Every structure is written in structure tokens, then in C-alpha cells.
Amino acid sequence: MSSAATPTPISYKDAGVDIAAGDALVERIKPLARKTLREGVMAGIGGFGALFEVPKRYKEPVLVSGTDGVGTKLKLAFEWAMHDTVGIDLVAMSVNDVLVQGAEPLFFLDYFACGRLDVATATAVVGGVAEGCARSGCALIGGETAEMPGMYPDGEYDLAGFAVGVVEKSRILDGRSIHAGDVVLGLASSGVHSNGFSLVRKCIERAGAALPARLDGKPFRQAVMEPTRLYVKSVLAALAAHPIKALAHITGGGLLENIPRVLPDHLAAHLNAGSWPRSELFAWLQHTAGIDDLEMNRTFNNGIGMVAIVAPDVAAAVAATLRAQHETVYAIGQIAERGAQAAVVIR
């Protein structure tokens, strides 16, 4: 009787998962995460779960959570080997959303998935995540790195982020106090942020070799990949000093679809076209895509990344506080009775 041949051993690394590389990445991440520590962190990177204690200064704390990704902007990060700022985008997309409820972001967790783990690339990405957290005053207290052979092409990865914030129950922003005559303030964006990149990529493809060398004083690629602006610290300062009725983070859907999310049904926002400057980047995108203003305003932020709605008598003071926090602020419109018109009218 013949015995079956002993199979050749196959390790987890042979199957495409490098545990040692994952361990090396964790060791590189730990000092980055330590730089984001803040009050409330009880246990962070390394455990099965991260522990966080809500600051005791809140009397009736309400937790606010948000999750998002970076989308197809990552395709350009792969193509152009620009990995160090997409982590900032990841943080910004979630913490800016949490902020519009009036909440202070407390902590953040990231999810990094790839087919084959490149430690240097992953470290650059997570370094951006840590930078975004530091700029937002929230702690990077955990995350997950998933190496999944066959799921992603070599050199590509995907990102997701999860933020939790806290707001005093009595200070939740819900838009119910908005009235006709209130002022709409627009806070300038840093560029395209992280929405509309499927169209951005189509424009780059259409332009081919005729891409501009520079836009808005920056090399073309830098202008396109400029990370999403983090509004947390400046807006929290304004909230602490003034009554703000509502905030809207201008993401996918642009001004046309995001402002209505915070308006009572009977009100509309009338925005004044030309009340804020148009960047060379957005002008190039519109010209290259050959689209009208309506399509631009529901695809891109068009230069306004956050909107604040305030009473007329405090508008100047709110704008001054935001400018003191290094925001560029424009009075871009006012609230009116809606009637039969659209929720956002740009004229």
C-alpha cells in the first residue's frame, strides 16, 4: 500500500498575507497616534477595542457619529503616487459631518484595505490620518489594516473612516430656529475636497497632454489633490462665542443638495452668484467638462466647503471670529420663504 505524498507546506505569507509587515505597520502607526492623544483616551492602538471616556464637562452629552471614505480621488493618489494627504481627506469627510450637529469630534478610527501591504505607502496614508486628527483635536485611537490578496490590484487600497463626537443636548444644531431673513455665510473650500472625482478624472482624461501646468498658483496635481479643509477648530470657536442656527458641510450634491438638509421645509436659501470668487480649478473643470452652472453646483462645492446660517445681527461678528481663526468667509445669501421654488436658488 502506498502512502499519499506529503503536501508542500504553504504559509500565510505564501498565500499573500504578510503578518510581519502588518506588525511593522502597527509599530510605525503607534507614535503617529500618540501625537493625537487628548483628554478622554483610556486605551488606544493595540487592544481589541479602544476605550474613551466622555469629558466630564458635558452635563447632558449626546454622541454624534459619522463615517465616510475618500472615493475615486484614491485613483489619482495611486496614479500620481500622492499618498500623504488622502488620510487628511478621510478624517475631514467624517469630522466635518459630525461638526454640523454642533459636536466636538472626540476620536477617530480608520480602515485600510489592500491586496498586498506596502508598509511605506500605508504609513504615509495613516500619517495623513494622524495629521487630520491632530488638526481637528480628535484622537486616533484605533483602526484596522486588512491585507486581502486578490481583492485589490497591487498598489491600490481603499479607506474608510469613523468619527465620534459629543455635543451638549441643549446645543444640538437642528435648524429649527432658522427664519426668513437669516444670513448665509460661506466658508471657502481648499479645492475639490473629496467629491466629484469621477468627473475630475474624466476631465483629466479628456484634456490629455493639454493639462495646465499650474492652477491657483499651485502645480496642477497639487491643486487637484489639495486635501479637504478641516473646519473643526475654527467653527467650534465660533460656536462657543456666537449663536449659530445651522451648519451644512458641502459634500456630494454641492450647494444645491446639502443646504436643504438643514432647512425647515418652508424655507429656501437664495444665494448670490458671484458673491464668492471662482477658482481657476473650478473654471477649468467646467470648461473641460462642458457643463452648465446647474451641473457644476450639484457636483462640486464650487469654492464653498461649509455653510453657516446665522441671524442678521450676529452675521458680522460670526464672520469676524471665523476670519480670526484663518477661515475665508463670504456673505453668500439669505434665507427666504420657499413657496413653489427650489430649496436653493442661485442667481
Side-chain angles (χ1 to χ4, degrees), residues 170-237:
S170 62
R171 296 180 64 85
I172 294 173
L173 299 183
D174 56 19
R176 285 186 290 183
S177 64
I178 299 174
H179 298 294
D182 285 340
V183 175
V184 182
L185 298 177
L187 282 65
S189 68
S190 55
V192 183
H193 286 184
S194 297
N195 297 105
F197 269 86
S198 294
L199 182 53
V200 171
R201 289 166 50 238
K202 283 291 184 183
C203 289
I204 292 171
E205 180 182 317
R206 174 177 284 185
L211 290 173
R214 300 178 70 83
L215 289 173
D216 302 308
K218 304 170 188 174
F220 177 78
R221 292 183 178 184
Q222 183 184 337
V224 171
M225 294 296 287
E226 191 70 27
T228 306
R229 187 164 181 81
L230 290 148
Y231 297 99
V232 174
K233 290 186 176 180
S234 56
V235 170
L236 287 177

Short mmCIF file of all heavy atoms in Angstrom, two decimals, residues 170-237:
data_model
loop_
_atom_site.label_atom_id
_atom_site.label_comp_id
_atom_site.label_asym_id
_atom_site.label_seq_id
_atom_site.Cartn_x
_atom_site.Cartn_y
_atom_site.Cartn_z
N SER A 170 -28.56 70.47 24.86
CA SER A 170 -29.25 71.75 24.67
C SER A 170 -28.64 72.58 23.54
O SER A 170 -29.22 73.59 23.12
CB SER A 170 -29.22 72.56 25.96
OG SER A 170 -27.88 72.86 26.33
N ARG A 171 -27.47 72.16 23.02
CA ARG A 171 -26.77 72.94 22.00
C ARG A 171 -26.70 72.23 20.64
O ARG A 171 -25.95 72.64 19.77
CB ARG A 171 -25.36 73.29 22.48
CG ARG A 171 -25.36 74.20 23.72
CD ARG A 171 -23.95 74.54 24.17
NE ARG A 171 -23.24 75.32 23.18
CZ ARG A 171 -23.30 76.64 23.06
NH1 ARG A 171 -24.09 77.35 23.89
NH2 ARG A 171 -22.60 77.28 22.14
N ILE A 172 -27.49 71.18 20.48
CA ILE A 172 -27.53 70.48 19.19
C ILE A 172 -28.07 71.43 18.12
O ILE A 172 -29.07 72.12 18.31
CB ILE A 172 -28.43 69.23 19.26
CG1 ILE A 172 -27.81 68.19 20.22
CG2 ILE A 172 -28.63 68.62 17.88
CD1 ILE A 172 -28.72 66.99 20.48
N LEU A 173 -27.39 71.49 16.98
CA LEU A 173 -27.85 72.31 15.87
C LEU A 173 -28.80 71.48 14.99
O LEU A 173 -28.40 70.45 14.45
CB LEU A 173 -26.67 72.79 15.02
CG LEU A 173 -25.63 73.66 15.73
CD1 LEU A 173 -24.57 74.12 14.73
CD2 LEU A 173 -26.26 74.86 16.40
N ASP A 174 -30.04 71.95 14.87
CA ASP A 174 -31.01 71.20 14.07
C ASP A 174 -31.74 72.07 13.05
O ASP A 174 -32.58 71.58 12.30
CB ASP A 174 -32.03 70.50 14.97
CG ASP A 174 -32.77 71.45 15.91
OD1 ASP A 174 -32.77 72.67 15.65
OD2 ASP A 174 -33.33 70.97 16.91
N GLY A 175 -31.42 73.36 13.02
CA GLY A 175 -32.01 74.24 12.01
C GLY A 175 -33.42 74.71 12.30
O GLY A 175 -33.98 75.51 11.53
N ARG A 176 -34.01 74.29 13.40
CA ARG A 176 -35.40 74.65 13.65
C ARG A 176 -35.60 76.12 13.96
O ARG A 176 -36.71 76.64 13.82
CB ARG A 176 -35.96 73.79 14.80
CG ARG A 176 -36.26 72.36 14.39
CD ARG A 176 -36.94 71.58 15.47
NE ARG A 176 -36.06 71.30 16.60
CZ ARG A 176 -36.42 70.58 17.67
NH1 ARG A 176 -37.64 70.10 17.76
NH2 ARG A 176 -35.56 70.36 18.64
N SER A 177 -34.54 76.81 14.35
CA SER A 177 -34.67 78.24 14.67
C SER A 177 -34.41 79.14 13.47
O SER A 177 -34.43 80.37 13.61
CB SER A 177 -33.71 78.60 15.81
OG SER A 177 -32.36 78.42 15.41
N ILE A 178 -34.18 78.58 12.30
CA ILE A 178 -33.92 79.39 11.11
C ILE A 178 -35.19 80.12 10.69
O ILE A 178 -36.29 79.56 10.70
CB ILE A 178 -33.42 78.51 9.94
CG1 ILE A 178 -32.10 77.81 10.32
CG2 ILE A 178 -33.22 79.34 8.68
CD1 ILE A 178 -31.62 76.82 9.28
N HIS A 179 -35.03 81.41 10.32
CA HIS A 179 -36.15 82.22 9.87
C HIS A 179 -35.80 82.92 8.56
O HIS A 179 -34.62 83.11 8.24
CB HIS A 179 -36.52 83.29 10.91
CG HIS A 179 -36.96 82.74 12.22
ND1 HIS A 179 -38.12 82.01 12.38
CD2 HIS A 179 -36.39 82.81 13.47
CE1 HIS A 179 -38.26 81.67 13.64
NE2 HIS A 179 -37.21 82.13 14.33
N ALA A 180 -36.82 83.33 7.84
CA ALA A 180 -36.60 84.16 6.65
C ALA A 180 -35.85 85.42 7.06
O ALA A 180 -36.14 86.02 8.11
CB ALA A 180 -37.93 84.51 6.01
N GLY A 181 -34.88 85.82 6.27
CA GLY A 181 -34.05 86.98 6.58
C GLY A 181 -32.72 86.63 7.19
O GLY A 181 -31.81 87.49 7.26
N ASP A 182 -32.54 85.39 7.65
CA ASP A 182 -31.24 84.97 8.18
C ASP A 182 -30.18 85.00 7.07
O ASP A 182 -30.49 84.88 5.89
CB ASP A 182 -31.33 83.57 8.78
CG ASP A 182 -32.04 83.56 10.13
OD1 ASP A 182 -32.12 84.64 10.77
OD2 ASP A 182 -32.51 82.49 10.55
N VAL A 183 -28.94 85.14 7.50
CA VAL A 183 -27.82 85.30 6.57
C VAL A 183 -27.13 83.96 6.36
O VAL A 183 -26.94 83.17 7.30
CB VAL A 183 -26.82 86.34 7.11
CG1 VAL A 183 -25.58 86.43 6.22
CG2 VAL A 183 -27.50 87.71 7.22
N VAL A 184 -26.74 83.71 5.11
CA VAL A 184 -25.97 82.51 4.77
C VAL A 184 -24.51 82.91 4.59
O VAL A 184 -24.19 83.72 3.70
CB VAL A 184 -26.49 81.85 3.48
CG1 VAL A 184 -25.69 80.59 3.17
CG2 VAL A 184 -27.98 81.53 3.60
N LEU A 185 -23.65 82.39 5.45
CA LEU A 185 -22.21 82.61 5.35
C LEU A 185 -21.56 81.40 4.70
O LEU A 185 -21.88 80.25 5.05
CB LEU A 185 -21.59 82.84 6.72
CG LEU A 185 -22.07 84.06 7.52
CD1 LEU A 185 -21.40 84.08 8.89
CD2 LEU A 185 -21.78 85.35 6.76
N GLY A 186 -20.65 81.64 3.77
CA GLY A 186 -19.92 80.56 3.12
C GLY A 186 -18.47 80.57 3.52
O GLY A 186 -17.81 81.61 3.44
N LEU A 187 -17.95 79.43 3.97
CA LEU A 187 -16.54 79.28 4.31
C LEU A 187 -15.84 78.65 3.12
O LEU A 187 -16.29 77.62 2.59
CB LEU A 187 -16.36 78.41 5.55
CG LEU A 187 -16.64 79.05 6.92
CD1 LEU A 187 -18.11 79.43 7.07
CD2 LEU A 187 -16.24 78.09 8.04
N ALA A 188 -14.77 79.26 2.68
CA ALA A 188 -14.08 78.81 1.47
C ALA A 188 -13.57 77.38 1.60
O ALA A 188 -13.12 76.95 2.66
CB ALA A 188 -12.91 79.74 1.15
N SER A 189 -13.66 76.65 0.50
CA SER A 189 -13.07 75.32 0.44
C SER A 189 -11.59 75.45 0.05
O SER A 189 -11.14 76.52 -0.36
CB SER A 189 -13.81 74.46 -0.59
OG SER A 189 -13.58 74.95 -1.91
N SER A 190 -10.88 74.36 0.17
CA SER A 190 -9.47 74.34 -0.24
C SER A 190 -9.31 73.84 -1.66
O SER A 190 -8.20 73.81 -2.19
CB SER A 190 -8.66 73.45 0.72
OG SER A 190 -9.23 72.15 0.78
N GLY A 191 -10.42 73.46 -2.28
CA GLY A 191 -10.38 72.93 -3.63
C GLY A 191 -11.56 72.00 -3.84
O GLY A 191 -12.65 72.22 -3.31
N VAL A 192 -11.34 70.93 -4.58
CA VAL A 192 -12.43 69.99 -4.88
C VAL A 192 -12.82 69.18 -3.65
O VAL A 192 -13.92 68.63 -3.59
CB VAL A 192 -12.01 69.05 -6.04
CG1 VAL A 192 -13.14 68.11 -6.43
CG2 VAL A 192 -11.60 69.87 -7.26
N HIS A 193 -11.96 69.11 -2.65
CA HIS A 193 -12.16 68.27 -1.47
C HIS A 193 -12.21 66.81 -1.89
O HIS A 193 -11.29 66.34 -2.54
CB HIS A 193 -13.40 68.71 -0.68
CG HIS A 193 -13.17 70.00 0.08
ND1 HIS A 193 -14.10 70.57 0.93
CD2 HIS A 193 -12.10 70.85 0.12
CE1 HIS A 193 -13.63 71.69 1.46
NE2 HIS A 193 -12.41 71.88 0.96
N SER A 194 -13.26 66.06 -1.60
CA SER A 194 -13.26 64.63 -1.92
C SER A 194 -14.52 64.18 -2.65
O SER A 194 -14.90 63.02 -2.57
CB SER A 194 -13.09 63.80 -0.64
OG SER A 194 -11.85 64.06 -0.03
N ASN A 195 -15.16 65.10 -3.35
CA ASN A 195 -16.38 64.75 -4.09
C ASN A 195 -16.25 65.19 -5.54
O ASN A 195 -15.63 66.20 -5.84
CB ASN A 195 -17.60 65.41 -3.46
CG ASN A 195 -17.84 64.93 -2.04
OD1 ASN A 195 -17.57 65.64 -1.08
ND2 ASN A 195 -18.32 63.71 -1.91
N GLY A 196 -16.86 64.42 -6.42
CA GLY A 196 -16.85 64.77 -7.84
C GLY A 196 -15.65 64.26 -8.59
O GLY A 196 -15.42 64.65 -9.76
N PHE A 197 -14.86 63.37 -8.00
CA PHE A 197 -13.61 62.96 -8.64
C PHE A 197 -13.80 62.01 -9.82
O PHE A 197 -12.90 61.88 -10.65
CB PHE A 197 -12.63 62.38 -7.61
CG PHE A 197 -11.73 63.43 -7.06
CD1 PHE A 197 -12.13 64.19 -5.97
CD2 PHE A 197 -10.51 63.71 -7.65
CE1 PHE A 197 -11.31 65.19 -5.47
CE2 PHE A 197 -9.69 64.71 -7.15
CZ PHE A 197 -10.09 65.46 -6.06
N SER A 198 -14.95 61.38 -9.94
CA SER A 198 -15.19 60.61 -11.16
C SER A 198 -15.24 61.55 -12.36
O SER A 198 -14.71 61.23 -13.43
CB SER A 198 -16.50 59.82 -11.03
OG SER A 198 -16.37 58.84 -10.02
N LEU A 199 -15.82 62.74 -12.17
CA LEU A 199 -15.84 63.73 -13.24
C LEU A 199 -14.48 64.40 -13.39
O LEU A 199 -14.03 64.68 -14.52
CB LEU A 199 -16.93 64.77 -12.98
CG LEU A 199 -17.11 65.87 -14.05
CD1 LEU A 199 -17.29 65.25 -15.43
CD2 LEU A 199 -18.28 66.77 -13.69
N VAL A 200 -13.79 64.66 -12.29
CA VAL A 200 -12.44 65.24 -12.36
C VAL A 200 -11.54 64.34 -13.21
O VAL A 200 -10.81 64.80 -14.09
CB VAL A 200 -11.84 65.41 -10.95
CG1 VAL A 200 -10.35 65.80 -11.05
CG2 VAL A 200 -12.60 66.46 -10.16
N ARG A 201 -11.61 63.04 -12.97
CA ARG A 201 -10.77 62.10 -13.71
C ARG A 201 -11.13 62.07 -15.19
O ARG A 201 -10.26 61.92 -16.05
CB ARG A 201 -10.86 60.71 -13.08
CG ARG A 201 -10.16 60.65 -11.72
CD ARG A 201 -10.50 59.41 -10.90
NE ARG A 201 -10.37 58.19 -11.67
CZ ARG A 201 -11.35 57.33 -11.87
NH1 ARG A 201 -12.56 57.56 -11.33
NH2 ARG A 201 -11.15 56.23 -12.56
N LYS A 202 -12.42 62.21 -15.49
CA LYS A 202 -12.85 62.27 -16.89
C LYS A 202 -12.30 63.53 -17.57
O LYS A 202 -11.90 63.50 -18.74
CB LYS A 202 -14.38 62.25 -16.98
CG LYS A 202 -15.00 60.88 -16.78
CD LYS A 202 -14.69 59.96 -17.94
CE LYS A 202 -15.41 58.63 -17.80
NZ LYS A 202 -15.05 57.68 -18.90
N CYS A 203 -12.27 64.64 -16.83
CA CYS A 203 -11.71 65.89 -17.38
C CYS A 203 -10.22 65.74 -17.65
O CYS A 203 -9.72 66.20 -18.68
CB CYS A 203 -11.96 67.04 -16.41
SG CYS A 203 -13.69 67.57 -16.31
N ILE A 204 -9.50 65.10 -16.75
CA ILE A 204 -8.06 64.88 -16.94
C ILE A 204 -7.83 63.99 -18.15
O ILE A 204 -6.95 64.24 -18.98
CB ILE A 204 -7.45 64.27 -15.67
CG1 ILE A 204 -7.47 65.30 -14.52
CG2 ILE A 204 -6.03 63.78 -15.92
CD1 ILE A 204 -7.10 64.74 -13.17
N GLU A 205 -8.66 62.96 -18.28
CA GLU A 205 -8.56 62.06 -19.43
C GLU A 205 -8.85 62.81 -20.73
O GLU A 205 -8.14 62.63 -21.73
CB GLU A 205 -9.56 60.91 -19.24
CG GLU A 205 -9.57 59.88 -20.35
CD GLU A 205 -10.63 58.82 -20.09
OE1 GLU A 205 -10.76 58.37 -18.93
OE2 GLU A 205 -11.35 58.46 -21.05
N ARG A 206 -9.88 63.66 -20.71
CA ARG A 206 -10.24 64.42 -21.92
C ARG A 206 -9.14 65.40 -22.31
O ARG A 206 -8.84 65.58 -23.49
CB ARG A 206 -11.56 65.15 -21.70
CG ARG A 206 -11.95 66.08 -22.83
CD ARG A 206 -13.30 66.72 -22.61
NE ARG A 206 -14.38 65.78 -22.87
CZ ARG A 206 -15.68 66.12 -22.85
NH1 ARG A 206 -16.03 67.37 -22.58
NH2 ARG A 206 -16.60 65.21 -23.11
N ALA A 207 -8.54 66.05 -21.31
CA ALA A 207 -7.51 67.06 -21.60
C ALA A 207 -6.23 66.43 -22.15
O ALA A 207 -5.51 67.06 -22.93
CB ALA A 207 -7.21 67.87 -20.34
N GLY A 208 -5.96 65.20 -21.74
CA GLY A 208 -4.77 64.51 -22.23
C GLY A 208 -3.49 65.27 -21.93
O GLY A 208 -3.23 65.67 -20.80
N ALA A 209 -2.71 65.52 -22.97
CA ALA A 209 -1.42 66.22 -22.79
C ALA A 209 -1.59 67.71 -22.61
O ALA A 209 -0.62 68.42 -22.32
CB ALA A 209 -0.51 65.94 -23.99
N ALA A 210 -2.83 68.21 -22.76
CA ALA A 210 -3.06 69.66 -22.68
C ALA A 210 -3.41 70.12 -21.27
O ALA A 210 -4.02 71.17 -21.09
CB ALA A 210 -4.18 70.05 -23.65
N LEU A 211 -3.03 69.37 -20.28
CA LEU A 211 -3.29 69.77 -18.89
C LEU A 211 -2.53 71.04 -18.56
O LEU A 211 -1.38 71.22 -18.97
CB LEU A 211 -2.85 68.66 -17.92
CG LEU A 211 -3.67 67.37 -17.90
CD1 LEU A 211 -3.00 66.34 -17.02
CD2 LEU A 211 -5.09 67.64 -17.41
N PRO A 212 -3.15 71.94 -17.80
CA PRO A 212 -2.42 73.16 -17.39
C PRO A 212 -1.28 72.81 -16.45
O PRO A 212 -1.38 71.86 -15.67
CB PRO A 212 -3.50 73.99 -16.69
CG PRO A 212 -4.54 73.01 -16.27
CD PRO A 212 -4.54 71.92 -17.28
N ALA A 213 -0.21 73.57 -16.51
CA ALA A 213 0.93 73.32 -15.63
C ALA A 213 0.61 73.71 -14.20
O ALA A 213 1.01 73.02 -13.25
CB ALA A 213 2.15 74.09 -16.13
N ARG A 214 -0.15 74.81 -14.03
CA ARG A 214 -0.48 75.30 -12.70
C ARG A 214 -1.91 75.82 -12.68
O ARG A 214 -2.44 76.30 -13.69
CB ARG A 214 0.48 76.44 -12.29
CG ARG A 214 1.93 76.05 -12.25
CD ARG A 214 2.83 77.22 -11.89
NE ARG A 214 2.69 77.63 -10.49
CZ ARG A 214 3.31 77.06 -9.48
NH1 ARG A 214 4.11 76.03 -9.68
NH2 ARG A 214 3.15 77.49 -8.25
N LEU A 215 -2.53 75.72 -11.53
CA LEU A 215 -3.84 76.31 -11.29
C LEU A 215 -3.83 76.93 -9.90
O LEU A 215 -3.36 76.31 -8.94
CB LEU A 215 -4.95 75.26 -11.37
CG LEU A 215 -5.30 74.70 -12.76
CD1 LEU A 215 -6.29 73.54 -12.63
CD2 LEU A 215 -5.87 75.79 -13.67
N ASP A 216 -4.35 78.15 -9.79
CA ASP A 216 -4.43 78.83 -8.50
C ASP A 216 -3.08 78.91 -7.80
O ASP A 216 -2.98 78.78 -6.57
CB ASP A 216 -5.47 78.15 -7.59
CG ASP A 216 -6.85 78.13 -8.23
OD1 ASP A 216 -7.32 79.20 -8.66
OD2 ASP A 216 -7.45 77.03 -8.33
N GLY A 217 -2.02 79.08 -8.60
CA GLY A 217 -0.68 79.26 -8.04
C GLY A 217 -0.01 77.99 -7.58
O GLY A 217 1.06 78.05 -6.96
N LYS A 218 -0.59 76.82 -7.89
CA LYS A 218 -0.01 75.55 -7.47
C LYS A 218 0.21 74.66 -8.69
O LYS A 218 -0.50 74.78 -9.68
CB LYS A 218 -0.96 74.82 -6.50
CG LYS A 218 -1.35 75.61 -5.27
CD LYS A 218 -2.46 74.89 -4.53
CE LYS A 218 -3.01 75.75 -3.39
NZ LYS A 218 -4.19 75.15 -2.75
N PRO A 219 1.17 73.73 -8.60
CA PRO A 219 1.28 72.74 -9.67
C PRO A 219 -0.06 72.01 -9.84
O PRO A 219 -0.78 71.79 -8.85
CB PRO A 219 2.38 71.79 -9.15
CG PRO A 219 3.19 72.62 -8.21
CD PRO A 219 2.21 73.56 -7.56
N PHE A 220 -0.39 71.64 -11.06
CA PHE A 220 -1.70 71.08 -11.36
C PHE A 220 -2.08 69.94 -10.42
O PHE A 220 -3.18 69.92 -9.85
CB PHE A 220 -1.72 70.59 -12.82
CG PHE A 220 -3.02 69.93 -13.19
CD1 PHE A 220 -4.15 70.67 -13.48
CD2 PHE A 220 -3.11 68.54 -13.24
CE1 PHE A 220 -5.36 70.05 -13.81
CE2 PHE A 220 -4.31 67.92 -13.56
CZ PHE A 220 -5.42 68.67 -13.86
N ARG A 221 -1.19 68.98 -10.25
CA ARG A 221 -1.54 67.82 -9.42
C ARG A 221 -1.80 68.23 -7.97
O ARG A 221 -2.69 67.69 -7.32
CB ARG A 221 -0.45 66.76 -9.50
CG ARG A 221 -0.35 66.11 -10.88
CD ARG A 221 0.70 65.00 -10.89
NE ARG A 221 0.75 64.36 -12.21
CZ ARG A 221 1.51 63.30 -12.50
NH1 ARG A 221 2.29 62.76 -11.56
NH2 ARG A 221 1.50 62.77 -13.70
N GLN A 222 -1.02 69.15 -7.47
CA GLN A 222 -1.23 69.60 -6.09
C GLN A 222 -2.57 70.31 -5.96
O GLN A 222 -3.29 70.12 -4.96
CB GLN A 222 -0.11 70.54 -5.66
CG GLN A 222 -0.24 70.99 -4.20
CD GLN A 222 0.83 71.99 -3.81
OE1 GLN A 222 1.90 72.06 -4.42
NE2 GLN A 222 0.55 72.79 -2.78
N ALA A 223 -2.94 71.12 -6.95
CA ALA A 223 -4.22 71.81 -6.90
C ALA A 223 -5.38 70.82 -6.89
O ALA A 223 -6.35 70.99 -6.15
CB ALA A 223 -4.35 72.75 -8.10
N VAL A 224 -5.27 69.77 -7.69
CA VAL A 224 -6.34 68.76 -7.75
C VAL A 224 -6.41 67.95 -6.46
O VAL A 224 -7.50 67.65 -5.96
CB VAL A 224 -6.11 67.84 -8.96
CG1 VAL A 224 -7.07 66.64 -8.92
CG2 VAL A 224 -6.30 68.61 -10.26
N MET A 225 -5.27 67.61 -5.90
CA MET A 225 -5.22 66.72 -4.74
C MET A 225 -5.22 67.45 -3.40
O MET A 225 -5.13 66.81 -2.35
CB MET A 225 -3.98 65.82 -4.83
CG MET A 225 -4.00 64.86 -5.99
SD MET A 225 -5.33 63.64 -5.89
CE MET A 225 -4.71 62.59 -4.57
N GLU A 226 -5.31 68.76 -3.40
CA GLU A 226 -5.34 69.53 -2.15
C GLU A 226 -6.36 68.90 -1.20
O GLU A 226 -7.51 68.68 -1.56
CB GLU A 226 -5.72 70.98 -2.44
CG GLU A 226 -5.51 71.91 -1.26
CD GLU A 226 -4.03 72.15 -0.95
OE1 GLU A 226 -3.19 72.06 -1.86
OE2 GLU A 226 -3.74 72.44 0.23
N PRO A 227 -5.97 68.56 0.02
CA PRO A 227 -6.89 67.83 0.90
C PRO A 227 -8.07 68.67 1.36
O PRO A 227 -8.02 69.91 1.39
CB PRO A 227 -6.01 67.42 2.09
CG PRO A 227 -4.87 68.38 2.08
CD PRO A 227 -4.64 68.74 0.63
N THR A 228 -9.12 67.98 1.72
CA THR A 228 -10.34 68.60 2.23
C THR A 228 -10.03 69.47 3.44
O THR A 228 -9.31 69.07 4.36
CB THR A 228 -11.34 67.51 2.64
OG1 THR A 228 -11.53 66.62 1.53
CG2 THR A 228 -12.66 68.11 3.07
N ARG A 229 -10.58 70.67 3.45
CA ARG A 229 -10.34 71.58 4.56
C ARG A 229 -11.04 71.08 5.82
O ARG A 229 -12.19 70.63 5.78
CB ARG A 229 -10.82 73.00 4.22
CG ARG A 229 -10.43 74.02 5.29
CD ARG A 229 -10.54 75.45 4.79
NE ARG A 229 -10.14 76.39 5.81
CZ ARG A 229 -8.88 76.72 6.10
NH1 ARG A 229 -7.89 76.17 5.41
NH2 ARG A 229 -8.58 77.60 7.04
N LEU A 230 -10.34 71.18 6.94
CA LEU A 230 -10.88 70.80 8.24
C LEU A 230 -11.38 72.06 8.93
O LEU A 230 -10.61 72.96 9.23
CB LEU A 230 -9.80 70.13 9.09
CG LEU A 230 -9.38 68.74 8.60
CD1 LEU A 230 -7.93 68.47 8.90
CD2 LEU A 230 -10.27 67.67 9.22
N TYR A 231 -12.69 72.13 9.18
CA TYR A 231 -13.30 73.33 9.73
C TYR A 231 -13.51 73.24 11.24
O TYR A 231 -14.06 74.16 11.84
CB TYR A 231 -14.66 73.56 9.06
CG TYR A 231 -14.57 73.82 7.57
CD1 TYR A 231 -14.82 72.80 6.65
CD2 TYR A 231 -14.20 75.07 7.08
CE1 TYR A 231 -14.71 73.02 5.29
CE2 TYR A 231 -14.10 75.30 5.72
CZ TYR A 231 -14.35 74.27 4.82
OH TYR A 231 -14.25 74.49 3.47
N VAL A 232 -13.07 72.16 11.86
CA VAL A 232 -13.47 71.87 13.24
C VAL A 232 -13.08 72.96 14.22
O VAL A 232 -13.93 73.53 14.92
CB VAL A 232 -12.89 70.51 13.68
CG1 VAL A 232 -13.17 70.28 15.16
CG2 VAL A 232 -13.50 69.39 12.87
N LYS A 233 -11.81 73.27 14.33
CA LYS A 233 -11.38 74.19 15.38
C LYS A 233 -11.94 75.60 15.19
O LYS A 233 -12.36 76.24 16.16
CB LYS A 233 -9.85 74.21 15.46
CG LYS A 233 -9.26 72.91 16.00
CD LYS A 233 -7.76 73.00 16.21
CE LYS A 233 -7.22 71.71 16.84
NZ LYS A 233 -5.75 71.76 17.07
N SER A 234 -11.99 76.07 13.96
CA SER A 234 -12.50 77.42 13.71
C SER A 234 -14.00 77.50 13.99
O SER A 234 -14.47 78.47 14.60
CB SER A 234 -12.20 77.84 12.28
OG SER A 234 -12.73 76.93 11.35
N VAL A 235 -14.75 76.51 13.55
CA VAL A 235 -16.20 76.55 13.76
C VAL A 235 -16.54 76.34 15.23
O VAL A 235 -17.47 76.98 15.75
CB VAL A 235 -16.90 75.52 12.86
CG1 VAL A 235 -18.37 75.37 13.24
CG2 VAL A 235 -16.79 75.94 11.39
N LEU A 236 -15.82 75.47 15.93
CA LEU A 236 -16.07 75.31 17.37
C LEU A 236 -15.82 76.62 18.11
O LEU A 236 -16.54 76.96 19.06
CB LEU A 236 -15.20 74.19 17.94
CG LEU A 236 -15.60 72.76 17.57
CD1 LEU A 236 -14.60 71.77 18.16
CD2 LEU A 236 -17.02 72.43 18.06
N ALA A 237 -14.80 77.37 17.69
CA ALA A 237 -14.53 78.67 18.31
C ALA A 237 -15.70 79.62 18.07
O ALA A 237 -16.11 80.37 18.97
CB ALA A 237 -13.24 79.26 17.77
#
